[in-house]
Amino acid sequence: MTEAEPYLMRLTTRLLEGIERLPADQRERNTTYLLEAQNPDGGFSGREGGSDLYYTGFALRSLAVLQALNSDVCNKAANFLRTKMTGSAGVVDFFSLVVSCYLVPLGGGPDVLADAPTDWPERVASTLETFRSPDGGYGKTPGALYGSTYTSFLVTLCLQLLGRSNPEADRLAAFVKSRRRDDGGYVEISAMKRSGTNPTAAGVGLLQILGELDDTARAGTANFLAALPSPFEGGLRANDRIPAADLLSTFTGGWTLDQLGFANKLDWEAVQRYAEECERPIGGFRGGLWDEYTDVEYTFYGLGTLALAALMLE
């Protein structure tokens, strides 16, 4: 039995609730940071290069949870997105495009898909299916021999946004379960023996969507994630062999524990301090205490982490 509420809607609603509790000046400076990051063509960049679908998606999602999407931002973004409607793309770009096309009208912009062929959702779904691998997952390239846990998660999120169910959901669920390891977490590729935070978040998210997450798996995953905070920093590490925490793992691990019903396994005051230390005084978040630069992707993770912490510490 698949979950009724789309995963991204549940995530966005949760973050909206938490970000409303953040100090007004913190919300304002990060809104300013994001608005100033938009390029003249309407897209957003990473740390170098021109506008990119991946970073545009993260910037729009960040502005959405800050309730700062407006018609000016969305009209400009729509112009950029229209240039990306044709041509080939990987799963990450497909996902970023679909998410962005969903958000732009919500912020007062146009329906980017209005001029697209009426069967555009079916075309995208068919294209995504070319990434299906023999093991039942989805690979990073069409015709890949082995699936990627993260790519499989993104394909499923994309299909949800398109209003499509996942074909061969049973095979996909079996694939994800095969990526679970004895430590309670999940791996990205089949050859890996030890789990990572982010593949675990993707694996749990997929099984939640598919209605295939049992109580034994929940408890095991919670114990795995609860052991990953860095004792010196407070944030979560990407795996138990890395000494330093990072903001991506902190967000995905914290969100996953929240969704599993085991959020109390984290020291949320320490998590909050860590995320605050990753923020620049003028807005924007670094990837970790080891990082010198900010970007719109890590700003989403930083805001998300602080939103969850605000909810847990009430």
Side-chain angles (χ1 to χ4, degrees), residues 27-60:
R27 299 197 305 268
E28 289 166 7
R29 66 176 174 260
N30 282 289
T31 296
T32 299
Y33 169 79
L34 291 160
L35 293 176
E36 291 178 349
Q38 190 170 29
N39 295 322
D41 66 1
F44 293 79
S45 305
R47 299 189 182 190
E48 56 186 34
S51 294
D52 181 281
L53 272 174
Y54 180 77
Y55 292 103
T56 298
F58 273 107
L60 294 176

Side-chain angles (χ1 to χ4, degrees), residues 17-191:
E17 292 173 356
I19 284 176
E20 285 181 341
R21 291 161 169 77
L22 300 185
D25 61 335
Q26 188 170 50
R27 299 197 305 268
E28 289 166 7
R29 66 176 174 260
N30 282 289
T31 296
T32 299
Y33 169 79
L34 291 160
L35 293 176
E36 291 178 349
Q38 190 170 29
N39 295 322
D41 66 1
F44 293 79
S45 305
R47 299 189 182 190
E48 56 186 34
S51 294
D52 181 281
L53 272 174
Y54 180 77
Y55 292 103
T56 298
F58 273 107
L60 294 176
R61 290 172 70 190
S62 298
L63 288 167
V65 295
L66 284 163
Q67 300 185 59
L69 282 178
N70 59 54
S71 58
D72 183 51
V73 170
C74 291
N75 281 319
K76 291 176 182 176
N79 291 332
F80 170 70
L81 296 173
R82 288 189 186 102
T83 69
K84 301 296 181 180
M85 292 295 293
T86 58
S88 60
V91 169
V92 172
D93 279 350
F94 269 127
F95 171 71
S96 301
L97 177 62
V98 173
V99 167
S100 298
C101 288
Y102 177 80
L103 289 173
V104 161
L106 297 180
D111 179 1
V112 183
L113 302 178
D115 297 326
T118 55
D119 65 345
W120 189 80
E122 286 75 19
R123 291 186 188 186
V124 172
S126 296
T127 301
L128 289 172
E129 201 57 27
T130 67
F131 289 81
R132 176 82 73 169
S133 48
D135 56 14
Y138 291 87
K140 295 181 180 180
T141 57
L145 292 178
Y146 301 100
S148 148
T149 304
Y150 179 63
T151 302
S152 300
F153 177 54
L154 289 186
V155 167
T156 304
L157 291 181
C158 203
L159 290 171
Q160 273 198 329
L161 288 170
L162 294 169
R164 303 290 185 275
S165 58
N166 196 296
E168 300 185 74
D170 290 345
R171 284 186 68 213
L172 181 59
F175 160 79
V176 182
K177 290 175 182 179
S178 76
R179 294 294 168 89
R180 186 184 299 151
R181 295 295 179 259
D182 291 342
D183 57 14
Y186 295 73
V187 295
E188 166 65 4
I189 57 175
S190 57

